[in-house]
Amino acid sequence: MSHVEEFLSAEEEQDIINAIVEAEKNTSGEIRVHIEASAKIDHFSRAQQIFHFLKMDNTKENNGVLIYVAVDDKKFVIYGDTGIDRAVPKGFWDTTKDVMASHFKKGNFKQGIVEGVLMAGKELQSHFPWNQNDTNELSDAISKG
């Protein structure tokens, strides 16, 4: 079994998916989690590639957020689309990153991702509130590379 497959149990993955569903309840924003072994290039550039590959740049309000985790590299990136970048102040994701990093340092990967997802949902809610015409534009499943 690869490091990616061992990184989270099926139950932990379901907890993360449940967190994504919960986080998206009050926002039109879309949140995805992608996990792979190693980036092979700088992690921010790789997160951008995955963002495009998952078609996250095709949302109506350009308000997708990707939480990208490179397991073997021990690195992660929170990448927001252009609509988010225009709406939020510089350093917007720093608190979320800090909370995730503190869990990761203790080996609590599932909890770090869950809290990151829920915090991203709260942040998105203030800039991209849910409305009755909102549809879930992207899968809530965890993607793996």
Side-chain angles (χ1 to χ4, degrees), residues 33-113:
V33 173
H34 180 83
I35 300 168
E36 64 184 11
S38 180
K40 310 272 191 282
I41 59 173
D42 82 90
H43 297 91
F44 186 81
S45 295
R46 182 62 179 151
Q48 286 178 306
Q49 285 180 341
I50 297 297
F51 194 89
H52 181 69
F53 177 76
L54 295 175
K55 300 188 180 346
M56 294 184 70
D57 47 4
N58 291 340
T59 60
K60 186 171 57 178
E61 296 184 74
N62 298 110
N63 59 356
V65 174
L66 174 66
I67 296 177
Y68 167 82
V69 180
V71 177
D72 293 345
D73 299 344
K74 295 181 172 43
K75 301 276 186 183
F76 73 97
V77 173
I78 302 172
Y79 184 82
D81 204 351
T82 56
I84 293 167
D85 281 346
R86 281 193 298 269
V88 303
K90 189 167 173 48
F92 182 71
W93 297 113
D94 290 347
T95 304
T96 305
K97 285 183 201 170
D98 292 345
V99 167
M100 289 179 66
S102 71
H103 283 292
F104 285 7
K105 285 176 186 164
K106 298 175 196 165
N108 299 331
F109 301 109
K110 180 214 71 165
Q111 193 58 37
I113 295 170

Side-chain angles (χ1 to χ4, degrees), residues 10 12 27 31 43 63-64 89 109 121 130 134 137:
E12 289 172 323
T27 180
I31 302 169
H43 297 91
N63 59 356
F109 301 109
W130 181 86
D134 186 45
E137 297 177 80

